[in-house]
Amino acid sequence: MWRLALLVVLALSVRAQDVINLRSMPLAEDSDRLLTSVRQPVIVEANVPNITVGFKTGPNIPGTQFTIKCVLEGEACDAPPQGQPVSGSLPVKPAAVEGTVQGLDVDQTYSCFVETTLSENGKVSFCQEATPSPGIVRFELKFPGYRDAAAFGQQDREQVCANVLSLQPGGTCTVLRVVNGSAIVFIQVEDDDYRNTWSLTETLAQNETEVTAALTSGLEGSVEIADIQTEPPLPSPLPPTGVTANPSSDCMPSVVVTWTAPQRSSTITGYFVSCKSMTAPTANSTVAATQRNVSLSIQAGEEYMCSVVSQGPSGTSVPADASSLVMYRYPVACKPGEVSNVATGPVTGELLQSQVTWEPAEETIPPILGYKIVCNSTDGLEADVRTVEVPESPAIVGDGEEENGPLPQGADYTCSVAAYNAAGDGQPVDSSSFMVPAVINKDLNKAYETIQAAIDDPNAETTTISVGRGTFKEYISIEKSITLLGPNAGVLPYNDAKDGINPSRNLEAKIEPPNDSRESLIRIRATEVTMKGFTITLPLEGEPSWGIHGADDISEGGPAYNVSGLTVEDMILEGGLSVGMIVRRTSENCSPEATVNQVTFKRNFMKNTFAQPFYMQCASGNVEDNVVLNGYSGVQIQPYTGATFGTVQNNVFKIYSRGIYLNFIRTNPVDWTVTGNAITLVPEFQPDPFGFDQWTGIYFRTTGPFASESPFLTVTGNTINMGTVGGDYPYSVYGIYFRNYQLMIEDSATISGNNLTGSGEITAYISALNNQNENGDIIDLEIAEKLENENQFSEDTAVSDDPCCEIVQIV
């Protein structure tokens, strides 16, 4: 409806960024003859660091000099000049003169003077201070209640000026003219008071209704403010100084911004305060001109740059930034308090879960968002940690995946509960410990105290029993077809180098003897039994003991049991003075019909077993991918009268006595493949518990009546490393040894592609004793030549008393 262009009237003091343009100053008439040479000096324009001063002069005595200079506010003319004063000669005739003082400090306030000096004697004529020119406000008011300009008489003119001055005390009001068309009145107000001029224009801008009511007082009808103009225009306000931004110290995320008002603050209508972040919403507020601080809500943990802008009718100042970034962090006191009465309990029907309950913490500011439950096992494994967040009690631990997956069997747990809010987590409160069941029949969803109790459950037929971490001191007897799975079922027991335990194994389920009775630790008397992922520990002293024992009783003549389908995988066995894993039928119970079939010993690791790690009597099956370190032997196979078959492949045997020992081949045919095995002599001497006095990589032997058919053997791709045997080594050392062996050279055996290495006091790479063909002819030399031609040997040759052969020994 109306337009406002704001007015600035400069006071006697001028500050940085003040801009004044008063070039309409009238000059003195030529006839005006004053004794003074300078009259009415005014500040024409102020834009510090430059201030322009103009004045009227003349006539002057030739040679009269003038200097325009500025001094600090409050100082007299004789004070030291600031910036770069302007000097020159005054014109003789009347004229208008301007000069600009440059190089002033924008942070200072100045008073400016015009000083004249007679050049003849240097005497100062006078020094006069420059003053601001009055500001002018012109109004264009339209009074529709008057028919024409003539109707708006002198009394009306005086009344409208009175009305204007009632809004703006001070100054002078003049009606310039009135034109037709509803009495359009042009009014001019001259005001020397900068603040009053400002107050008038501010009033018009803020409350037009009240202003128009005041303007119509004593006049007919209404009024329309058609136009308001100021001369010169008001400058933009100065920015505030000393802006600071500091986070609040309470629990409400906010920043307190403070500032100091600039000079000429009377031109300011308010301040706009803004705090900006690169990643969070901007916080801002507009406050009154009298305010010097404001609190803005921000997001905790975000960096903000805050600034303050002065506002006025003529525009805004440049932003004044705080000296540094600000970030609100919740004080520790803002975190929630402790919960109480933390307890754990079972979850109905879920053996690997636990319910955690508690009494809530007191409400806080900021409000509690929820509760964090962290459960740790006493074993301290990172993989055991379970975490869950819930809005309130209770929480179920172990009912999800990843961070809240099922609890590991056999673990001893303690859970803590902490309330949390935007300020962080409160102090956690622990529960009492609880134990996750270690032995579970997953088919029945039932827990047991011992492994044997789970096996003996009459409802547990052909079932799977899962066993978690822990030590189980018990003898175990299995007389039904079941599967026992330890925590490392499917996890290799040895490392990649096959010289130690796999560091990635989970915590073990260890089975140990409960006493010194030396019974078989695990006795199997049923078919289709599977056992995976356990550790068996046997004593290293005292009487011999067995680890896993399948089939017959230990005593001769005991009952025979069929354990066909036995599978033992991913096991660790340490110690033991007898047999680690045995499938045993005595010779009295062995026959082709009674042979135990489909026995599997696979991916097992044995260490320090001073007896037979793997022992198979009258049994067929596979022994593969096993590792034996520092053992008495690798595997012993005794077919007896049984018709047995199977494979021994890809095993690593580092042993004191025999690597692969196949003996007691009697009346019925056998068919075994021995391939890909690595057999190494352990040089540290250990007495043979069975009284043997030789080390042999692969040993074949038949006993008793010779079979009607020769044994079928495939022995290929094995590596036998005998190392360097010193003269003080007490055993004879052989790579491959044949004794009493009925061998069909062309048809029944393939013994080739094996690699035998060694040096020093090796007895023989190949040794043959009492080997015959089907006609009873001794064929040791023929055997030796065949083996020498079809296998590989190291360059160092064995020591032999027989001059016939470098590689083999014929006894």
Side-chain angles (χ1 to χ4, degrees):
M1 179 178 179
W2 48 278
R3 178 171 59 86
L4 172 63
L6 300 179
L7 169 67
V8 172
V9 177
L10 187 66
L12 298 183
S13 299
V14 183
R15 187 170 172 80
Q17 300 182 18
D18 294 347
V19 179
I20 300 178
N21 187 7
L22 301 178
R23 301 186 182 276
S24 58
M25 175 185 64
L27 297 177
E29 298 294 337
D30 291 343
S31 60
D32 188 9
R33 297 292 185 266
L34 296 178
L35 295 177
T36 58
S37 59
V38 173
R39 297 181 300 282
Q40 298 178 1
V42 295
I43 297 176
V44 176
E45 183 176 42
N47 188 10
V48 179
N50 302 325
I51 296 179
T52 301
V53 175
F55 58 87
K56 296 175 284 185
T57 185
N60 296 295
I61 299 173
T64 303
Q65 303 294 307
F66 75 92
T67 298
I68 301 174
K69 64 178 183 179
C70 296
V71 300
L72 295 178
E73 182 182 17
E75 294 183 343
C77 179
D78 57 354
Q82 306 293 314
Q84 302 169 12
V86 178
S87 298
S89 297
L90 290 175
V92 175
K93 294 182 178 181
V97 178
E98 285 187 6
T100 301
V101 178
Q102 300 179 345
L104 298 171
D105 188 344
V106 296
D107 292 322
Q108 296 293 336
T109 304
Y110 299 96
S111 298
C112 296
F113 297 85
V114 178
E115 182 181 74
T116 57
T117 305
L118 294 176
S119 59
E120 294 180 355
N121 53 22
K123 183 179 179 180
V124 175
S125 172
F126 67 92
C127 188
Q128 186 174 353
E129 185 173 3
T131 60
S133 178
I136 298 174
V137 182
R138 294 187 180 90
F139 298 88
E140 182 181 339
L141 304 178
K142 182 178 181 181
F143 292 89
Y146 292 87
R147 294 184 297 276
D148 53 38
F152 200 84
Q154 182 62 32
Q155 184 178 353
D156 296 324
R157 294 178 179 224
E158 294 175 357
Q159 183 63 52
V160 70
C161 270
N163 292 344
V164 170
L165 294 179
S166 69
L167 292 172
Q168 174 59 66
T172 59
C173 176
T174 305
V175 175
L176 301 179
R177 66 184 184 281
V178 180
V179 299
N180 289 329
S182 301
I184 299 176
V185 181
F186 295 89
I187 304 171
Q188 176 171 300
V189 177
E190 295 188 10
D191 184 10
D192 291 332
D193 192 330
Y194 188 96
R195 290 171 299 176
N196 286 347
T197 302
W198 165 247
S199 176
L200 173 60
T201 54
E202 179 182 4
T203 301
L204 294 174
Q206 291 179 349
N207 197 334
E208 182 181 355
T209 302
E210 293 182 6
V211 169
T212 55
L215 291 175
T216 57
S217 177
L219 300 173
E220 295 181 9
S222 60
V223 64
E224 296 178 6
I225 303 174
D227 192 13
I228 300 178
Q229 296 181 353
T230 62
E231 183 182 325
L234 289 172
S236 298
L238 295 174
T241 59
V243 178
T244 64
N246 296 290
S248 64
S249 59
D250 57 21
C251 294
M252 301 298 291
S254 59
V255 58
V256 178
V257 183
T258 62
W259 62 92
T260 300
Q263 291 195 13
R264 207 178 70 225
S265 59
S266 62
T267 64
I268 294 175
T269 59
Y271 297 95
F272 179 75
V273 185
S274 175
C275 293
K276 296 181 179 180
S277 168
M278 296 294 292
T279 55
T282 297
N284 56 64
S285 177
T286 300
V287 299
T290 56
Q291 196 163 330
R292 297 296 180 264
N293 63 75
V294 68
S295 178
L296 300 179
S297 296
I298 59 174
Q299 289 188 7
E302 300 287 346
E303 284 190 328
Y304 289 83
M305 172 54 74
C306 298
S307 62
V308 183
V309 173
S310 302
Q311 294 178 321
S314 61
T316 60
S317 71
V318 296
D321 293 334
S323 58
S324 61
L325 295 170
V326 63
M327 176 187 292
Y328 175 88
R329 292 183 175 89
Y330 283 102
V332 174
C334 301
K335 295 181 179 180
E338 294 182 357
V339 301
S340 59
N341 299 328
V342 179
T344 60
V347 178
T348 303
E350 299 294 342
L351 299 176
L352 302 182
Q353 298 179 14
S354 181
Q355 178 175 272
V356 184
T357 59
W358 62 92
E359 295 296 327
E362 294 184 1
E363 281 298 330
T364 60
I365 295 176
I368 292 175
L369 300 176
Y371 296 86
K372 292 182 179 180
I373 296 85
V374 180
C375 299
N376 291 279
S377 75
T378 55
D379 298 308
L381 296 182
E382 184 176 351
D384 288 349
V385 179
R386 298 293 183 270
T387 60
V388 61
E389 295 184 13
V390 294
E392 59 186 8
S393 178
I396 304 300
V397 179
D399 67 343
E401 297 179 356
E402 298 179 355
E403 294 183 352
N404 194 31
L407 299 173
Q409 291 175 232
D412 190 358
Y413 268 93
T414 299
C415 294
S416 66
V417 180
Y420 69 92
N421 60 12
D425 297 346
Q427 187 68 26
V429 178
D430 291 338
S431 70
S432 56
S433 63
F434 65 93
M435 180 71 73
V436 182
V439 183
I440 295 175
N441 185 319
K442 291 191 174 181
D443 296 329
L444 300 178
N445 195 33
K446 185 177 180 181
Y448 305 87
E449 292 295 325
T450 65
I451 297 173
Q452 190 63 54
I455 295 171
D456 292 342
D457 189 334
N459 296 316
E461 297 293 336
T462 61
T463 189
T464 298
I465 297 172
S466 177
V467 181
R469 67 186 65 170
T471 300
F472 301 87
K473 294 181 177 293
E474 56 179 308
Y475 291 116
I476 297 173
S477 178
I478 302 174
E479 298 185 7
K480 60 177 69 173
S481 300
I482 61 171
T483 296
L484 283 175
L485 298 180
N488 286 295
V491 181
L492 274 176
Y494 44 79
N495 59 20
D496 292 341
K498 298 184 179 180
D499 60 2
I501 294 175
N502 181 2
S504 298
R505 292 272 285 192
N506 301 309
L507 291 183
E508 301 287 346
K510 296 182 179 181
I511 304 175
E512 299 178 355
N515 52 48
D516 294 331
S517 66
R518 304 300 167 140
E519 301 178 24
S520 296
L521 185 59
I522 301 170
R523 180 169 292 176
I524 299 172
R525 296 173 174 175
T527 61
E528 303 301 328
V529 173
T530 297
M531 191 170 187
K532 298 180 179 181
F534 292 85
T535 289
I536 296 172
T537 302
L538 298 175
L540 289 172
E541 299 178 354
E543 296 296 322
S545 58
W546 281 261
I548 298 175
H549 182 199
D552 288 356
D553 282 342
I554 296 177
S555 60
E556 291 289 331
Y561 300 94
N562 186 1
V563 294
S564 294
L566 172 64
T567 299
V568 181
E569 295 181 0
D570 304 322
M571 306 282 284
I572 294 176
L573 189 146
E574 295 181 316
L577 292 173
S578 187
V579 181
M581 301 179 185
I582 178 174
V583 174
R584 180 173 183 264
R585 281 197 167 186
T586 60
S587 58
E588 290 77 6
N589 293 326
C590 184
S591 67
E593 295 77 18
T595 301
V596 176
N597 295 316
Q598 296 179 337
V599 174
T600 300
F601 293 137
K602 186 176 183 179
R603 294 194 308 271
N604 300 291
F605 177 77
M606 299 191 189
K607 183 178 181 181
N608 300 329
T609 55
F610 298 111
Q612 296 98 328
F614 301 99
Y615 191 15
M616 298 175 66
Q617 289 182 343
C618 196
S620 299
N622 300 310
V623 181
E624 58 180 296
D625 295 321
N626 301 286
V627 175
V628 176
L629 300 182
N630 302 330
Y632 162 74
S633 65
V635 58
Q636 183 172 3
I637 299 169
Q638 293 180 326
Y640 288 115
T641 57
T644 68
F645 58 91
T647 60
V648 180
Q649 61 179 352
N650 299 330
N651 300 285
V652 174
F653 297 144
K654 296 182 179 181
I655 45 87
Y656 300 115
S657 182
R658 291 169 175 80
I660 299 172
Y661 188 19
L662 196 155
N663 67 330
F664 289 105
I665 303 172
R666 292 185 176 174
T667 56
N668 291 295
V670 298
D671 188 350
W672 283 85
T673 297
V674 179
T675 182
N677 300 285
I679 305 166
T680 302
L681 181 149
V682 176
E684 293 80 6
F685 172 72
Q686 294 289 339
D688 192 308
F690 300 99
F692 294 107
D693 59 356
Q694 68 180 49
W695 185 96
T696 307
I698 300 176
Y699 193 139
F700 298 104
R701 179 181 180 183
T702 62
T703 303
F706 295 113
S708 58
E709 297 184 19
S710 295
F712 282 87
L713 293 174
T714 301
V715 184
T716 61
N718 301 286
T719 298
I720 301 174
N721 181 6
M722 293 166 278
T724 300
V725 180
D728 58 347
Y729 189 74
Y731 289 166
S732 300
V733 177
Y734 299 91
I736 299 176
Y737 191 91
F738 293 89
R739 182 176 182 183
N740 297 342
Y741 192 79
Q742 183 174 353
L743 182 64
M744 303 268 309
I745 294 198
E746 299 297 333
D747 300 325
S748 66
T750 300
I751 304 175
S752 63
N754 302 288
N755 191 348
L756 291 78
T757 61
S759 62
E761 300 297 323
I762 295 174
T763 308
Y765 284 86
I766 303 293
S767 182
L769 176 63
N770 296 334
N771 295 286
Q772 304 175 30
N773 61 19
E774 66 272 19
N775 298 321
D777 302 325
I778 300 298
I779 56 170
D780 289 340
L781 182 59
E782 188 176 355
I783 292 174
E785 290 177 349
K786 177 179 177 63
L787 294 176
E788 182 177 355
N789 293 333
E790 297 186 3
N791 296 279
Q792 299 167 344
F793 304 90
S794 63
E795 294 181 359
D796 294 331
T797 58
V799 175
S800 174
D801 294 331
D802 192 324
C804 72
C805 305
E806 294 182 342
I807 299 297
V808 301
Q809 179 187 46
I810 306 301
V811 181

